[in-house]
Amino acid sequence: MGLAILCLTPTLMAQTVWREDSLQEVVVTGTGTQHLLKDAPVQTEVISHQQLRQFAGKSIEDILAGLTASFSFNENDMGSHLQMNGLGNSYVLILIDGRRLHGDNGGENDLSLIDPHNIEKIEIVKGASSALYGSDAIAGVINIITRKHRQQGVMLENTSRVGSYGDIRQHNGIALNYGRLSSYTNFQLQHTDGWQNTAEEAIEQTEYHITDSRNKTVNRHTNWQVAERLTYQLTPDIELYADGSIYWKRIYRPSGHHPGVDVKTWDLQYDNASASVGGKWKLNSTDVITLDADWKKHAYNYAFTDTTLTDGYVNGRFTNYYPYFSGQKELQSDQRLTNISLKGVFTLPYEQLLTAGLDYRYDWLKAPMRVAGGKATDNTQALYVQDEWHRGLGDGPAAVYLTGGLRLTRNQGFGTRLTPKLSAMLKLGELRLRATWSQGYKTPTPKELHYQYVRNMNGVYLYLGNQDLKAQNSNYFGMSAEYTIGRLTLTLAPYYNKVDDMIALVTVPAKDAPGHLIAKYDPIRVRQYQNIENAKTYGLDFTLRYQNPHFTAGGSYSYLDTQANQYDSEEETMHKVTIDGMAHHKANVYATWSHDFSKHYQLGVGIYGRFSTRRYYQIDGHGKGYQLWRLSTTHQIGRSLRMEAGIDNIFDYVDRTPHGLHLGTTTPGRTVYASLTLRFNQGKKLTNKYKSNFNSNNNEEN
């Protein structure tokens, strides 16, 4: 694994201590090297394995929105529309075990690629991290760390979950560990029948609404994934791996010949695949070199459900209208990513730790109907270094930590750019003061540069790429104060993030669009990717957590404000606007209790609340504020049987905003769920000869 590369503390010891104090959790994301959470030079938020098990979320969106106030989602057929501290999905880098999750080049990753039952913990680093991670890390980084299965022999597990509205979640895993070879095969299935919170639909952005729309708030959909990981311990110091996955998703949309705009004659189908190889070489007890090579594919198709006459394109040029029949597919886009990373960590004199690496990234996009010429490519190379230094102050526990990093990036279309980062931490007993300044850099994606497509969304919308876009740059300033009083930990973290030449979809006059597209589609609105000026987000995050062996309670609060200057080409004036999706206030609260009634039965109970004020948008209305409450119970019976049951949205809140306008939340109202997990282990712990290398990657499975 590319990130977990240096074992500063024996993992088994860290696990024992962590169960008594969550600040002893080992984290890797902030610096790419391992640190205890309380000593991490870069402020890191952790959603632990214990929190995940008690919350029992059905999806990664459910987990992130439910357990931290910094996130919000506005899910629809095209993606999750994640927002983190005011910036959208395309500015948030999502990693799985330190490697980039690949979905849509426009930034709307399909988060159902992540199996929630296979997560060990989640690490969140806020603010620009381009010096270490490159593009897409302007708002921050989310690192999903998966569970590892370390016992010799065979492990079988099955989790089946059912809930309201035909919600079905299935997880199956088979782990085989024999000597130097380890294998883990994972299958996940997700399905929902969808739901409709209202039959009212806004038509073409007018006051006219239809009241018998067939459109659903969330459409029926099914997806499944099969993934395999092989690990081979060539020597006690060299570990090799290969993994791959295939993924399929279909979104079933209302169909037929109902009058109006609320039916389609095609569903949406996604076909993804991935393959990776890599290795890790421990040069000595501290120094290590890793090499990773990833290939990922994300293909998006129309799957026709009725005879449909649609546009025919060859190499991006319209040729004629072409009929498709039920059962046929039409490719909309095929996006592929190749990423190669070489990284080393080396101990230097005077308590220094040097990280250095090379990255190569190649993006390939095929979209016959949506890109001029039918294809577009992009490639980026980067060289980066990072130096960590710490020194104790006097004879007590006080210490100072400094981290500096620099990345040199070269992109085929946008030249060369340096992005630095500086972080510092002062530890004074149980008080930790952190400060970070970092720059971010993000070049336009092939989609933002070249895409053009229409979307029938309460009328025809025309979306246009823009080959005159500039690269985006950011400056992030963040501070935090963390104080522990016995079992209570409090953190206050203000921040300021300024993004120059931020890319956003902007409504433009029809006269600015190609005339042949206007004549062909007669859109009610034209939207184009453009650079907007002086975009900034600023706010503060506050968290508190109280923990004892049986009871935890806490919460988080996030204040946010955003601002940008947007040029109105029709009025030839500059307007101040908010960044779409912003809510000034969001908060989460929780309390959990657990008790061992015998050595064979443990009960856990949790209550969770989630709150948001109004979310602001430039068009299509604002999203309403809301509050949602959740009750979860867990029942551990022996080591092999676990049951979960709960109620989501206890007070039955439903946002009945008409279709076509923005929602605060898509929840269908009160829902119930139940799940059953069965696990079978037959084997013994790994021998000492191989344990150290395996455990240096991640926390061992509980």
Side-chain angles (χ1 to χ4, degrees), residues 352-504:
Q352 295 183 84
L353 193 64
L354 177 69
T355 301
L358 298 168
D359 283 341
Y360 172 78
R361 172 173 175 167
Y362 178 75
D363 286 290
W364 180 87
L365 168 65
K366 178 182 179 181
M369 298 187 301
R370 303 184 181 218
V371 170
K375 295 180 182 179
T377 62
D378 186 45
N379 72 76
T380 303
Q381 307 90 41
L383 165 69
Y384 64 93
V385 292
Q386 174 186 269
D387 187 33
E388 301 176 60
W389 174 86
H390 77 276
R391 178 67 58 85
L393 301 177
D395 297 327
V400 62
Y401 297 75
L402 298 175
T403 303
L406 185 66
R407 173 178 285 254
L408 177 65
T409 302
R410 181 189 178 278
N411 178 268
Q412 72 173 36
F414 294 90
T416 303
R417 169 79 184 194
L418 282 171
T419 49
K421 179 173 183 175
L422 291 173
S423 297
M425 183 181 76
L426 177 63
K427 182 171 69 170
L428 300 170
E430 297 302 324
L431 174 66
R432 289 160 179 82
L433 301 174
R434 296 179 175 92
T436 295
W437 167 71
S438 55
Q439 290 190 342
Y441 178 63
K442 178 173 170 57
T443 57
T445 66
K447 179 176 181 177
E448 292 165 340
L449 291 167
H450 304 289
Y451 235 40
Q452 60 183 38
Y453 65 101
V454 295
R455 185 177 180 188
N456 197 334
M457 182 177 59
N458 305 320
V460 176
Y461 279 52
L462 175 62
Y463 290 83
L464 299 174
N466 184 354
Q467 296 187 42
D468 294 325
L469 289 173
K470 303 174 185 177
Q472 302 160 96
N473 304 279
S474 73
N475 275 278
Y476 173 84
F477 302 88
M479 300 179 64
S480 69
E482 179 185 283
Y483 189 57
T484 301
I485 312 170
R487 299 182 183 274
L488 178 66
T489 301
L490 303 97
T491 304
L492 181 66
Y495 63 90
Y496 175 87
N497 204 353
K498 184 177 184 297
V499 185
D500 294 323
D501 295 317
M502 179 179 179
I503 295 174

Side-chain angles (χ1 to χ4, degrees), residues 180-368:
R180 301 182 180 189
L181 181 65
S182 297
S183 166
Y184 181 65
T185 307
N186 176 55
F187 171 80
Q188 66 152 328
L189 169 72
Q190 301 177 11
H191 172 83
T192 179
D193 289 340
W195 56 85
Q196 185 185 54
N197 288 342
T198 179
E200 190 175 359
E201 182 163 347
I203 299 298
E204 297 189 358
Q205 310 307 313
T206 67
E207 295 182 359
Y208 173 66
H209 290 186
I210 63 173
T211 58
D212 61 346
S213 171
R214 294 186 187 178
N215 273 333
K216 291 186 174 183
T217 306
V218 171
N219 282 323
R220 181 167 71 97
H221 61 266
T222 302
N223 61 274
W224 56 262
Q225 181 184 51
V226 178
E228 169 67 26
R229 180 179 176 91
L230 292 170
T231 304
Y232 184 71
Q233 202 71 35
L234 183 64
T235 73
D237 296 323
I238 299 177
E239 178 181 285
L240 306 175
Y241 81 86
D243 63 29
S245 68
I246 55 173
Y247 170 89
W248 178 92
K249 181 175 183 177
R250 181 143 178 170
I251 299 172
Y252 303 90
R253 306 201 293 175
S255 60
H257 297 283
H258 184 68
V261 298
D262 60 338
V263 295
K264 303 292 185 293
T265 56
W266 61 86
D267 295 332
L268 307 180
Q269 184 170 313
Y270 298 85
D271 298 288
N272 289 17
S274 69
S276 303
V277 294
K280 179 177 66 174
W281 180 17
K282 292 187 67 176
L283 304 177
N284 51 48
S285 61
T286 57
D287 299 351
V288 66
I289 295 174
T290 60
L291 176 65
D292 295 290
D294 300 321
W295 173 87
K296 295 180 172 68
K297 171 189 173 182
H298 174 83
Y300 159 50
N301 303 274
Y302 285 170
F304 290 94
T305 56
D306 203 346
T307 302
T308 304
L309 190 65
T310 188
D311 298 349
Y313 282 78
V314 176
N315 295 326
R317 293 182 177 275
F318 175 75
T319 56
N320 207 335
Y321 293 103
Y322 186 82
Y324 281 89
F325 303 97
S326 179
Q328 291 184 312
K329 293 192 305 182
E330 181 185 40
L331 177 68
Q332 302 301 302
S333 68
D334 183 354
Q335 303 167 74
R336 303 185 187 187
L337 167 70
T338 301
N339 201 95
I340 301 173
S341 298
L342 175 65
K343 182 176 180 179
V345 175
F346 309 98
T347 303
L348 300 181
Y350 307 108
E351 301 181 83
Q352 295 183 84
L353 193 64
L354 177 69
T355 301
L358 298 168
D359 283 341
Y360 172 78
R361 172 173 175 167
Y362 178 75
D363 286 290
W364 180 87
L365 168 65
K366 178 182 179 181

